[in-house]
Amino acid sequence: MAPMGIRLSPLGMAVFCLLGLGVLYHLYSGFLAGRFAFFMLSDPAAGGPETPRGSAPGGAVDLRELLAVSVLAAVRGGEEVKRVREGNVLNAKAKGKTREGAEEQLTSGDLLSNRRMFYLLKSAFPAVQINSEERVDTAEQETVAWDHSIPEDIKQKIQPREVPAESVTVWIDPLDATQEYTEDLRQYVTTMVCVAVNGKPVIGVIHKPFSAYTAWAMVDGGSNVKPRSSYNEKSPRIIVSRSHAGKVEQVARQTFGNKTVIIPAGGAGYKVLALLDVAEKNQEEADVYIHVTYIKKWDICAGNAVLRALGGHMTTLTGEEISYTGSDGNEGGLIASINMNHKALIEKLPDLEKTSHK
């Protein structure tokens, strides 16, 4: 007997087709829902979060945005610095010694400011290299959101400018003048951020936490600070570190005469501001800034960028430009000036370079 064939009634055929269509609809609708959710999460116009700038190697970063974040980071770090000092909870301890044998201090203000500054910058620009004076503890990692707002003064003076993320190095000093901070000499204390592009300082931010003053500048962009109207080249007032004022004083007076004024001060950021038109009652004024020993790049990068943006100079004592790539230290000392004959100043101070490597 031949096998019997299976035949479906018209009703069975209809049910079978409807089931198949249902399965296809379910699968395809899930795919569409996934694509829609991805679109909503990745498109800022649709209400989803923005992809961080410089989030992948090979991407670009907008220097105007990076300036805005740098200003915010310096201010946020300064809030921690001020809070710790005013609460007298410094927890100061020695972290080592300088090459000259002076003890380096570390406080809670350094560490808390560093954490706020580092993670704000890293969250906004994750692919950018960030170098900081203090070690970043990954166990204390925090996500600090940036709302992508740009202050009006930056919007008005700075145009967007993109550069490759891999060309950028950010240098942060979460608390400049720690020694003076422990001595409660608050006028010297700053927080600083510098952005270098291909090793050249391009953005500088110097913030004074205890007076809420902030100076910022971008090379070939703009600034909120300016040089003073005049400088004394014949008998300049020279600002130097409190720790080695005597070394500079002897040579400076041999070079410029006995009327040369030496101003001992703390903090590299404070010393750069001394060369500019800063309306602060506790801010001294100088014509030249000289440092004759080894100094770290996070101490000087922001000031170097500000001076460059305003037409000034910061070089080694032999006149070489300082590169902000590679090692974190500058071996050649420094001399900084603005609206002066920088080359002539260097030629007058040849003996200082001999002490900068010691």
Side-chain angles (χ1 to χ4, degrees):
M1 183 175 174
M4 295 180 62
I6 299 175
R7 294 183 178 181
L8 291 177
S9 67
L11 179 60
M13 286 290 291
V15 171
F16 182 78
C17 290
L18 286 173
L19 286 173
L21 288 171
V23 171
L24 289 173
Y25 173 78
H26 177 74
L27 292 173
Y28 192 61
S29 64
F31 171 77
L32 287 176
R35 294 301 296 171
F36 180 71
F38 175 80
F39 171 78
M40 291 297 292
L41 288 171
S42 61
D43 185 5
E50 283 194 60
T51 302
R53 270 59 171 170
S55 60
V61 297
D62 179 5
L63 290 180
R64 184 172 74 165
E65 291 191 341
L66 193 43
L67 169 59
V69 179
S70 297
V71 170
L72 182 60
V75 171
R76 292 272 179 87
E79 291 170 356
E80 296 296 324
V81 168
K82 184 179 180 183
R83 181 177 64 81
V84 169
R85 178 67 266 184
E86 292 183 343
N88 199 28
V89 286
L90 275 68
N91 298 317
K93 61 182 179 181
K95 69 173 182 179
K97 291 189 175 183
T98 66
R99 291 190 179 184
E100 295 78 42
E103 197 171 74
E104 285 192 290
Q105 296 286 316
L106 179 68
T107 70
S108 295
D110 294 90
L111 297 174
L112 293 172
S113 174
N114 184 66
R115 188 168 69 186
R116 290 289 295 276
M117 294 174 71
F118 178 88
Y119 284 117
L120 174 57
L121 286 157
K122 200 64 178 176
S123 296
F125 296 92
V128 166
Q129 173 68 35
I130 301 176
N131 296 335
S132 173
E133 179 173 8
E134 308 305 338
R135 185 176 63 87
V136 178
D137 190 345
T138 55
E140 298 179 342
Q141 182 173 348
E142 59 182 57
T143 300
V144 185
W146 176 51
D147 62 5
H148 297 276
S149 64
I150 298 176
E152 283 302 316
D153 59 341
I154 293 178
K155 276 185 180 179
Q156 292 172 6
K157 296 179 180 180
I158 306 294
Q159 296 299 313
R161 190 198 320 171
E162 290 193 341
V163 296
E166 63 267 23
S167 70
V168 174
T169 305
V170 176
W171 296 84
I172 62 176
D173 191 341
L175 201 169
D176 189 36
T178 300
Q179 180 60 45
E180 287 73 20
Y181 183 66
T182 63
E183 297 172 21
D184 208 15
L185 299 174
R186 304 182 183 194
Q187 70 271 25
Y188 297 127
V189 175
T190 62
T191 58
M192 296 188 287
V193 182
C194 176
V195 177
V197 179
N198 295 320
K200 294 182 178 181
V202 172
I203 291 172
V205 179
I206 304 174
H207 175 70
K208 301 181 79 171
F210 297 102
S211 65
Y213 173 82
T214 306
W216 59 260
M218 179 190 290
V219 175
D220 297 327
S223 68
N224 72 340
V225 65
K226 62 183 181 180
R228 298 199 309 272
S229 58
S230 64
Y231 295 85
N232 189 338
E233 292 195 53
K234 292 184 178 180
S235 298
R237 293 162 295 179
I238 301 176
I239 194 163
V240 300
S241 172
R242 292 169 72 217
S243 62
H244 59 257
K247 291 181 182 179
V248 180
E249 183 174 5
Q250 182 180 358
V251 177
R253 289 191 170 154
Q254 289 174 356
T255 304
F256 297 107
N258 291 330
K259 292 184 179 180
T260 303
V261 176
I262 302 297
I263 305 172
Y270 178 90
K271 297 185 188 81
V272 168
L273 292 179
L275 305 182
L276 306 175
D277 186 7
V278 175
E280 289 264 304
K281 65 178 182 178
N282 290 327
Q283 178 65 59
E284 295 165 286
E285 292 185 353
D287 301 301
V288 180
Y289 166 26
I290 293 176
H291 189 88
V292 298
T293 59
Y294 175 85
I295 191 168
K296 291 297 183 71
K297 291 178 181 177
W298 41 67
D299 290 319
I300 60 176
C301 186
N304 197 342
V306 170
L307 289 173
R308 281 190 72 221
L310 298 177
H313 302 275
M314 180 185 286
T315 65
T316 66
L317 294 171
T318 57
E320 297 174 356
E321 297 293 335
I322 301 168
S323 174
Y324 294 92
T325 56
S327 69
D328 60 14
N330 172 51
E331 297 278 357
L334 71 84
I335 179 168
S337 69
I338 186 165
N339 290 353
M340 297 177 73
N341 188 333
H342 193 76
K343 185 177 180 181
L345 287 171
I346 293 168
E347 291 172 352
K348 288 180 179 179
L349 298 170
D351 295 334
L352 285 177
E353 197 274 335
K354 296 177 182 177
T355 65
S356 66
H357 298 284
K358 292 181 180 179

